[in-house]
Amino acid sequence: MSRRKLLIGTAGVAGAVITGWALSADDKPHWYNAGTVAAKTERKKRPLPSRTEQVNNLQAGHTYDILIIGGGATGAGCALDATTRGLRTALVEADDFASGTSSRSTKLIHGGVRYLQKAILQLDYDQYKMVKEALHERANMLEVAPHLTRPLPILLPVYKWWQVPYYWFGIKMYDLVAGDRNLKSSYYLSKKNTLELFPMLKSDNLCGGIVYYDGQQDDARMNLAIALTAARHGATIANHVSVTKLHKTNGKLSGARLRDEMTGKEWDIKAKCIINATGPFTDSIRKMDDQNVKSICCPSSGVHIVLPGYYSPEHMGLLDPATSDGRVIFFLPWLKGTIAGTTDLPCQVTHNPKPTEDEILFILTEVKNYLNPDVEVRRGDVLSAWSGIRPLVSDPNKPDTQSLARNHIVHVSPAGLVTIAGGKWTTYRAMASETIDAAIESSSLKPLYKECQTDGFLIEGAHGWTPTMYIRLVQDFGLEMEVAQHLAKSYGDRAFAVAKMASMTGKRWPIIGKKVHPEFPYIDAEIRYGVREYACTAVDMVARRLRLAFLNVQAAAEALPVVIEIMAEELKWSEAEKQKQTKMAADFLANEMGQMVNRASRDKIPINLNKDEIQTYIKRFQIIDKDRKGFVSINDIRRSLKSMGVKPSDAEISAILSEIDVTYNGQLEIQDYLQMMSAIKSGHVTYSRFARMAELEEEHHEREALKKKITVERSGGGL
């Protein structure tokens, strides 16, 4: 008898026990409990040092107990762990906090349902321990950062009757392993109830669904909040500062050579212990320590795409446990959009991973298999796409380094370099705790507290947050409700500091808060506050302080001029620097956020317009291209809008101009326009502001011609 059949057979026996446990368990969610705030988590009143002050501290000649290389989730977690134990801590990041894998995750906080499945089927105790630890950390993350996290019900659709007890048993075991840290009990849904909760789902052969709970987060802002919490508790942290060399004294690491990537200045720093928390770049730092060391990182690319919000219910995700090639696909609502992913392919380590068309099409195909025919899955609905590199590693502590570690590894080199690699976002705190323990032991450090202090330690924004805090923002500041809700969820109790920086709108309502893009709740004040959160470049801002680049790459491109103008005011940028930032951000959006692959996908579509449609679109184009140049420029658009007497808002004009400027390098040729209209017709592009403007221009032109005709006829009739 196979293990699967044995497992199904035991479901009935175990079911009664598990059901009794589930019904007797406290069903109250543990993710938000105002009464659990301990004295050690009181909000720090210490102002956040500026980046200049942080860099000056790194140059002041101090000897640090710990220098952490890497500002991702694990590095930031190490900084918070070390500084709360009373160790003098420094952290440097060559790019921006969360600029790598930590901002490109599935956004889930989870224990790993599939790992538990393997633990049960393979009787693997190590897998079980990994899931148990992750479920504890899941509960902790939802408790210490309630503003940035939420419990999310995830639907597992079932299309074969034998799978109902199989999946039900597995999910109940997931609840059981979580114990008193369970978010909410899982439950079975009939076919009718499944379709009520997830109406986009394909109904053919559907038997029902099983709903379980995991957590969801805003990963980049969570990473940043952890780093800011460390800074408020005394850690010296600096982004855009790279390590170019490691120094040794008597064969042991004693410091490093640092370089400020914003100014080019270099200097030396002393440290008793150095931690390598660089994710996919683990081996590059290990080779600085010992150039003969074997590589341990086996990078894997995971691509995600963002689709419009109507692809999924706002408060429920979906898990496809077995795709056509055996991978798992998640389909999750996130910040009013829908995330779908991920893929898993070997790749090269790079600072600029790019999504590929094949990976995007794979995800769309798998999504299509689960949605009903009314939901047409279109390539043009892909609003953004990105690739994150998973740092899978082999364990250098074991003789057999060929097999990949299923969990994280902590390794101390002969020279004292402490490397933390592998693992996953959810367990960043546990990984940091183990890493700092190893650092203390290997370097004989003397912390104020020997034990980890971060379990239950509230992070930036959590202390005064409540689920209804946004109402105060609306009432006290006159913010639009959607904007207030966004600020409360992104900044927690720091949202009031953000609101104080907001500009007056000049309208009756909302009173303050000018949006940087009309379709999103991001406001001007967030850019000013983002600079205080160490944003140094336009990419830092649109990708990780605001999440606009991840939600809609075209909207991010349209918002760039506003973002750069405000950052220029704050950071005193010259015109040359503004142009440099514009180019860097445009390159980032084109290559890393899927804009280029979206354009290439559209350009491959043959023009499938009939003769009449082509004549119509040529006529519209020529109305705007009055000089018959064969292309439309930004000046043509301005003139066209003026001639129509249309008075769109500044944001709408900016959006139209940006679409032409960013996508077509400032000039739209007749062939590009026909390609655009063909792509809209076929569904590869869902909407174009320029196309709509051309249509309105034609209508205006025809009205004017009709008016002239009527005037002539009336004049002729009067003679």
Side-chain angles (χ1 to χ4, degrees):
M1 185 183 292
S2 69
R3 284 179 178 168
R4 176 173 287 182
K5 290 181 179 177
L6 179 63
L7 188 57
I8 296 169
T10 59
V13 178
V17 176
I18 297 173
T19 304
W21 165 79
L23 292 173
S24 63
D26 181 7
D27 199 38
K28 178 182 66 180
H30 297 275
W31 68 282
Y32 174 68
N33 187 347
T36 62
V37 181
K40 69 177 182 179
T41 64
E42 289 178 2
R43 177 170 168 169
K44 281 280 181 182
K45 302 208 185 292
R46 176 185 185 235
L48 200 62
S50 68
R51 182 180 181 278
T52 300
E53 291 171 324
Q54 298 279 32
V55 171
N56 287 342
N57 285 337
L58 291 173
Q59 296 173 356
H62 304 306
T63 299
Y64 287 92
D65 292 318
I66 288 179
L67 168 64
I68 299 157
I69 308 172
T74 307
C78 287
L80 181 58
D81 191 297
T83 196
T84 52
R85 295 200 206 192
L87 295 169
R88 187 169 219 172
T89 305
L91 178 148
V92 293
E93 161 59 47
D95 195 338
D96 185 26
F97 304 114
S99 58
T101 310
S102 295
S103 63
R104 304 174 192 228
S105 72
T106 311
K107 324 302 179 197
L108 277 180
I109 311 168
H110 63 121
V113 172
R114 57 197 172 115
Y115 297 125
L116 182 61
Q117 180 188 33
K118 291 177 183 176
I120 294 172
L121 293 178
Q122 299 171 11
L123 301 178
D124 189 329
Y125 183 64
D126 287 338
Q127 292 265 18
Y128 167 79
K129 284 197 304 182
M130 187 170 69
V131 174
K132 181 76 174 173
E133 177 185 68
L135 288 172
H136 172 84
E137 295 303 321
R138 178 188 71 175
N140 183 69
M141 284 182 73
L142 269 75
E143 185 177 299
V144 303
H147 56 302
L148 290 169
T149 62
R150 65 167 178 165
L152 180 69
I154 299 175
L155 174 68
L156 190 65
V158 182
Y159 287 91
K160 296 177 182 177
W161 281 110
W162 70 263
Q163 291 178 334
V164 174
Y166 177 71
Y167 286 136
W168 182 88
F169 175 76
I171 294 298
K172 280 300 176 188
M173 288 298 294
Y174 194 58
D175 290 349
L176 184 62
V177 173
D180 62 356
R181 307 306 299 266
N182 195 31
L183 302 180
K184 274 191 171 185
S185 292
S186 58
Y187 54 89
Y188 170 75
L189 286 172
S190 66
K191 176 178 179 178
K192 178 184 175 184
N193 290 339
T194 298
L195 292 173
E196 281 182 4
L197 286 175
F198 210 113
M200 308 84 176
L201 203 60
K202 183 174 69 177
S203 60
D204 293 349
N205 301 318
L206 181 68
C207 302
I210 295 168
V211 176
Y212 72 97
Y213 285 79
D214 261 329
Q216 190 178 51
Q217 65 169 338
D218 182 340
D219 52 2
R221 287 215 60 87
M222 173 70 85
N223 192 155
L224 178 65
I226 297 164
L228 296 179
T229 306
R232 288 200 191 272
H233 284 80
T236 302
I237 66 171
N239 55 346
H240 299 284
V241 173
S242 61
V243 173
T244 60
K245 185 179 180 182
L246 298 179
H247 296 316
K248 293 181 181 178
T249 302
N250 300 323
K252 291 290 184 180
L253 290 176
S254 58
R257 183 76 173 171
L258 304 184
R259 172 186 166 88
D260 186 344
E261 297 296 336
M262 304 309 296
T263 63
K265 183 176 180 180
E266 294 191 8
W267 69 95
D268 292 324
I269 186 174
K270 298 175 184 175
K272 298 174 185 175
C273 178
I274 297 178
I275 292 175
N276 174 15
T278 52
F281 305 98
T282 293
D283 287 325
S284 63
I285 302 298
R286 293 178 75 239
K287 289 181 188 298
M288 281 188 193
D289 173 36
D290 178 1
Q291 62 182 359
N292 298 316
V293 76
K294 289 184 179 179
S295 298
I296 61 170
C297 187
C298 180
S300 171
S301 166
V303 168
H304 294 82
I305 63 174
V306 171
L307 298 165
Y310 56 72
Y311 269 83
S312 67
E314 189 176 352
H315 299 293
M316 180 170 282
L318 182 141
L319 166 65
D320 176 359
T323 61
S324 57
D325 66 351
R327 289 179 281 193
V328 171
I329 286 280
F330 284 100
F331 194 61
L332 309 167
W334 184 66
L335 300 182
K336 308 294 185 183
T338 301
I339 288 182
T342 178
T343 59
D344 187 6
L345 294 171
C347 67
Q348 296 296 315
V349 174
T350 171
H351 287 279
N352 313 107
K354 303 173 185 178
T356 66
E357 183 65 14
D358 287 345
E359 289 171 303
I360 292 171
L361 291 178
F362 166 79
I363 296 171
L364 288 175
T365 301
E366 295 301 328
V367 165
K368 192 181 296 185
N369 291 337
Y370 271 85
L371 299 183
N372 70 49
D374 289 340
V375 183
E376 184 184 354
V377 179
R378 303 179 297 185
R379 176 62 180 83
D381 284 339
V382 177
L383 304 176
S384 186
W386 68 86
S387 171
I389 301 177
R390 294 189 193 89
L392 305 175
V393 291
S394 56
D395 191 345
N397 298 307
K398 294 182 179 179
D400 174 21
T401 59
Q402 297 301 310
S403 58
L404 296 177
R406 285 170 296 193
N407 207 347
H408 62 271
I409 61 100
V410 177
H411 176 257
V412 182
S413 75
L417 178 68
V418 181
T419 294
I420 169 69
K424 58 191 207 176
W425 225 119
T426 305
T427 56
Y428 84 90
R429 193 204 64 82
M431 291 161 61
S433 174
E434 189 177 331
T435 305
I436 301 305
D437 286 344
I440 290 170
E441 182 179 349
S442 65
S443 300
S444 302
L445 302 177
K446 301 191 183 314
L448 188 60
Y449 302 101
K450 189 174 181 182
E451 301 299 322
C452 173
Q453 302 292 301
T454 56
D455 199 352
F457 198 100
L458 297 189
I459 69 165
E460 178 94 348
H463 303 80
W465 181 87
T466 66
T468 54
M469 193 189 82
Y470 72 92
I471 297 173
R472 284 177 54 204
L473 290 167
V474 174
Q475 294 175 336
D476 294 354
F477 292 94
L479 285 165
E480 187 180 329
M481 188 175 77
E482 183 190 17
V483 171
Q485 289 174 325
H486 153 67
L487 292 181
K489 288 177 182 176
S490 297
Y491 302 91
D493 61 13
R494 303 284 174 181
F496 296 97
V498 180
K500 287 176 182 175
M501 296 182 177
S503 302
M504 303 289 285
T505 64
K507 302 176 183 176
R508 186 183 64 82
W509 190 266
I511 298 170
I512 65 167
K514 290 182 180 177
K515 290 184 177 181
V516 298
H517 192 282
E519 297 167 19
F520 292 87
Y522 302 112
I523 60 172
D524 58 339
E526 295 181 77
I527 300 168
R528 300 188 191 282
Y529 192 79
V531 171
R532 288 152 182 78
E533 292 180 321
Y534 307 132
C536 299
T537 69
V539 173
D540 293 351
M541 193 65 71
V542 297
R544 293 174 287 273
R545 302 309 181 277
L546 319 179
R547 302 312 309 274
L548 199 49
F550 282 82
L551 290 169
N552 188 317
V553 67
Q554 185 60 36
E558 291 165 3
L560 265 184
V562 176
V563 170
I564 288 173
E565 279 302 321
I566 297 175
M567 290 191 76
E569 289 176 22
E570 293 288 325
L571 295 169
K572 306 294 185 287
W573 285 346
S574 64
E575 283 300 318
E577 182 63 25
K578 285 159 67 173
Q579 291 175 11
K580 176 186 172 185
Q581 291 293 329
T582 300
K583 185 180 185 308
M584 286 170 54
D587 289 346
F588 170 79
L589 295 174
N591 295 306
E592 296 184 51
M593 290 290 110
Q595 190 178 46
M596 189 73 76
V597 75
N598 282 355
R599 170 83 193 274
S601 167
R602 191 200 65 219
D603 288 349
K604 287 179 183 176
I605 306 301
I607 296 177
N608 62 344
L609 303 173
N610 60 42
K611 189 175 180 181
D612 291 340
E613 287 172 330
I614 290 175
Q615 290 302 318
T616 298
Y617 296 138
I618 290 175
K619 178 183 174 185
R620 288 182 185 175
F621 189 87
Q622 288 176 344
I623 290 171
I624 300 175
D625 179 23
K626 296 184 186 300
D627 301 329
R628 298 295 189 270
K629 303 182 299 299
F631 65 85
V632 169
S633 68
I634 288 174
N635 287 333
D636 292 323
I637 293 176
R638 290 185 185 277
R639 184 174 61 189
S640 179
L641 289 169
K642 186 176 179 181
S643 70
M644 283 193 290
V646 176
K647 292 185 178 179
S649 67
D650 290 343
E652 289 169 328
I653 293 175
S654 176
I656 296 171
L657 300 183
S658 182
E659 182 178 320
I660 302 302
D661 192 35
V662 173
T663 312
Y664 298 99
N665 299 317
Q667 294 183 355
L668 180 74
E669 297 181 359
I670 181 65
Q671 185 72 14
D672 292 326
Y673 177 57
L674 292 176
Q675 192 88 49
M676 176 197 294
M677 300 314 298
S678 178
I680 291 172
K681 179 181 177 181
S682 63
H684 282 76
V685 170
T686 53
Y687 183 71
S688 163
R689 290 179 177 83
F690 175 78
R692 177 59 180 154
M693 192 204 78
E695 185 180 350
L696 292 173
E697 171 74 20
E698 182 189 27
E699 291 172 2
H700 171 74
H701 190 268
E702 288 174 350
R703 282 196 303 270
E704 292 299 312
L706 183 60
K707 283 181 185 177
K708 286 181 181 178
K709 183 179 178 183
I710 292 171
T711 302
V712 169
E713 287 176 351
R714 284 178 177 171
S715 300
L719 288 172

